[in-house]
Amino acid sequence: EPLPRPHLVIAFNSGIHHYGSWERTLTCILRSPLQPDFVVTAWNLTEAVVVRQILQDHGGVVIEGMDLKENEFSSLLAKEIMDDHGTCAYDNRYAIAV
């Protein structure tokens, strides 16, 4: 029996741009006849821009008003990211919805 259409799929701090294992999942979500809304969060704007491009490359169309949107509910605690030239990042700082 088929599953009901999900209303929303969310990937918090997914690291989509770092892991090739996302390929099949992105194809499943973004090319599904069920067409669920898909929200991905990112630590910083640089990451969010890369993630947006990956989503678009897989057929995602950005929802108006949700393109590289700063998440007002993101973490207030800064993290120093050692592999990001010592800059600060925040959990779920930016959101992209397709």
Side-chain angles (χ1 to χ4, degrees):
E1 171 175 336
L3 295 172
R5 177 188 183 272
H7 295 280
L8 181 65
V9 177
I10 301 176
F12 294 109
N13 296 327
S14 63
I16 284 174
H17 60 301
H18 287 298
Y19 305 104
S21 57
W22 271 100
E23 285 292 319
R24 286 182 48 205
T25 302
L26 291 175
T27 299
C28 180
I29 294 169
L30 296 172
R31 297 189 180 161
S32 167
L34 301 176
Q35 299 179 336
D37 291 334
F38 184 36
V39 177
V40 180
T41 67
W43 282 1
N44 57 47
L45 185 57
T46 303
E47 178 185 354
V49 169
V50 173
V51 169
R52 176 185 60 186
Q53 187 60 56
I54 292 169
L55 296 174
Q56 290 174 323
D57 290 348
H58 281 81
V61 177
V62 176
I63 295 172
E64 187 176 336
M66 284 300 297
D67 185 17
L68 305 176
K69 181 173 176 57
E70 193 163 348
N71 180 6
E72 62 188 280
F73 301 106
S74 72
S75 173
L76 299 176
L77 257 155
K79 292 181 175 183
E80 186 174 352
I81 308 302
M82 301 314 286
D83 64 347
D84 195 21
H85 310 290
T87 58
C88 290
Y90 299 83
D91 282 337
N92 305 309
R93 177 59 95 193
Y94 286 90
I96 305 110
V98 293

